[in-house]
Amino acid sequence: MSNLIHLFSVGQKVRCNMDGTFYKGTVTETHTDHIIIDIPEISNHCWFENDFNIEDVYPEYNF
């Protein structure tokens, strides 16, 4: 299990794959086992965690 505090930072721009569509978002909180992302089109409190859905989050610089 990865420590997400070391992989993501607050304010970081990301893209999230939600049902096959990529949405732009901003990391608002980082914790050791999950991160919270503000995706304006969906919610300001999208939860991504290890071993569940973290593989759907990509740093903006990958695009």
Side-chain angles (χ1 to χ4, degrees):
M1 183 162 80
S2 299
N3 183 345
L4 297 178
I5 293 173
H6 296 295
L7 298 177
F8 295 95
S9 59
V10 173
Q12 181 178 358
K13 301 295 183 188
V14 295
R15 294 218 184 169
C16 302
N17 184 0
M18 305 285 273
D19 297 326
T21 303
F22 283 91
Y23 295 96
K24 291 183 179 182
T26 305
V27 177
T28 57
E29 294 179 36
T30 59
H31 303 274
T32 57
D33 62 343
H34 71 278
I35 59 175
I36 306 296
I37 299 176
D38 176 12
I39 303 173
E41 293 91 351
I42 298 175
S43 174
N44 65 350
H45 194 87
C46 295
W47 183 295
F48 293 87
E49 64 183 86
N50 279 322
D51 301 325
F52 181 60
N53 60 351
I54 196 68
E55 68 274 359
D56 294 328
V57 179
Y58 302 89
E60 181 71 23
Y61 58 78
N62 280 354
F63 285 84

